[in-house]
Amino acid sequence: MRNFLKHVKRSAAVCAAALAGISLFPGTALAQSDGSRAGQGDGSRAIAPVVGGTRATQGEFPFMVRLSMGCGGALYSKTIVLTAAHCVNGSGPNTSITATAGVVDLQGSGAIKVKSTRVLQAPGYNGTGKDWALIKLARPIDLPTLKIADTTAYNNGTFTVAGWGAAREGGPQQRYLLKATVPFVDDATCKSAGGSYAGLVANEEICAGYMQQGGVDTCQGDSGGPMFRKDNTGQWIQVGIVSWGEGCARPGKPGVYTEVSTFAGAIRSGAAQLGG
């Protein structure tokens, strides 16, 4: 487990409980005190909203989900949300989470709210790598789902990130969904950022961001949300899950995401186990 004061998950839950103040968009989001993005501007890795982003339009990303513990997620199926492991507390029955979908404005009248029934956290998750989890919903949400990558062919180019997290490091959570684009950063370059990045877990984590200038990233509250791009047929495909970063949108400090293709088989098996 990475040192929490250096490397914070990008989930608002962890921030609220430990550091209070996460940004979601251009950095990453945290949910638990295990080193994911959840801290504020003290050099720690905190979960935050999309920094350097702009508002998404209604219906632009219909698979986006906001989770009541302060994380994001995406509809893997109509009854299952794919999010980050650090956003949940283990596996088993869980009716405490509310998923909000169908709107970019969390206070919008058309918001669909559904309770959870069960959670599956990635087997073997210990705060480093394997940062994925599934949340089973009490009833289906009739919206488009986001397919996941099962090959590394899409681990390149430019990605889209979106979330309701902080729009700046240490800032408040957002009412409106923000979006931004970030470029792929190869493992060697990401590790060269030093600090917690030197411990990047190859094949389990993927980096993205503007290494030289920074300015765009996910942040506190964005944890668990998807990093996605278009596939060869022009459809959205999820390549990463917002996990952690040192601060938000800092030069030389890219966002770190769960490498979805590595866990595609396990995610599918987990979804089948949950009946989704």
Side-chain angles (χ1 to χ4, degrees):
M1 179 180 298
R2 296 181 173 92
N3 185 296
F4 181 59
L5 292 181
K6 284 185 60 182
H7 160 210
V8 186
K9 300 292 186 187
R10 289 187 172 176
S11 74
V14 171
C15 288
L19 294 175
I22 306 167
S23 53
L24 281 181
F25 206 64
T28 41
L30 284 206
Q32 294 173 255
S33 57
D34 60 2
S36 57
R37 288 190 174 179
Q40 45 187 24
D42 58 359
S44 64
R45 287 189 173 182
I47 295 179
V50 177
V51 178
T54 58
R55 283 191 189 181
T57 59
Q58 181 62 36
E60 187 173 6
F61 309 121
F63 44 76
M64 288 296 302
V65 175
R66 179 65 172 171
L67 299 171
S68 56
M69 81 286 277
C71 283
L75 286 175
Y76 171 80
S77 73
K78 294 186 183 301
T79 58
I80 291 180
V81 174
L82 175 60
T83 186
H86 73 259
C87 288
V88 301
N89 293 313
S91 301
N94 186 324
T95 58
S96 68
I97 302 168
T98 298
T100 300
V103 291
V104 294
D105 177 0
L106 292 177
Q107 297 179 25
S109 60
I112 301 169
K113 296 180 181 292
V114 181
K115 285 286 190 178
S116 61
T117 60
R118 196 169 187 86
V119 169
L120 175 64
Q121 189 180 59
Y125 175 71
N126 65 0
T128 300
K130 299 179 178 64
D131 197 6
W132 64 269
L134 298 171
I135 297 173
K136 179 65 181 295
L137 303 176
R139 62 180 176 83
I141 293 179
D142 191 18
L143 289 171
T145 58
L146 179 60
K147 65 180 179 179
I148 61 173
D150 56 11
T151 170
T152 59
Y154 299 109
N155 291 1
N156 57 70
T158 300
F159 308 110
T160 296
V161 289
W164 288 272
R168 60 180 174 78
E169 188 172 314
Q173 302 297 294
Q174 302 297 296
R175 170 179 172 178
Y176 297 96
L177 181 67
L178 296 179
K179 64 176 181 178
T181 57
V182 287
F184 169 74
V185 175
D186 66 81
D187 288 353
T189 300
C190 193
K191 288 185 176 183
S192 72
S196 296
Y197 294 91
L200 185 79
V201 184
N203 300 320
E204 293 190 9
E205 297 178 317
I206 179 174
C207 302
Y210 295 90
M211 285 295 292
Q212 296 301 315
Q213 70 270 34
V216 180
D217 190 16
T218 52
C219 197
Q220 299 104 343
D222 288 324
S223 282
M227 179 174 76
F228 47 101
R229 53 162 288 177
K230 293 292 183 68
D231 66 10
N232 293 334
T233 67
Q235 301 299 306
W236 290 120
I237 188 168
Q238 183 170 357
V239 176
I241 300 170
V242 177
S243 185
W244 61 270
E246 290 187 0
C248 301
R250 298 180 185 180
K253 303 295 182 180
V256 180
Y257 303 77
T258 303
E259 190 168 329
V260 169
S261 61
T262 297
F263 303 104
I267 291 170
R268 291 194 180 96
S269 296
Q273 180 181 330
L274 291 177

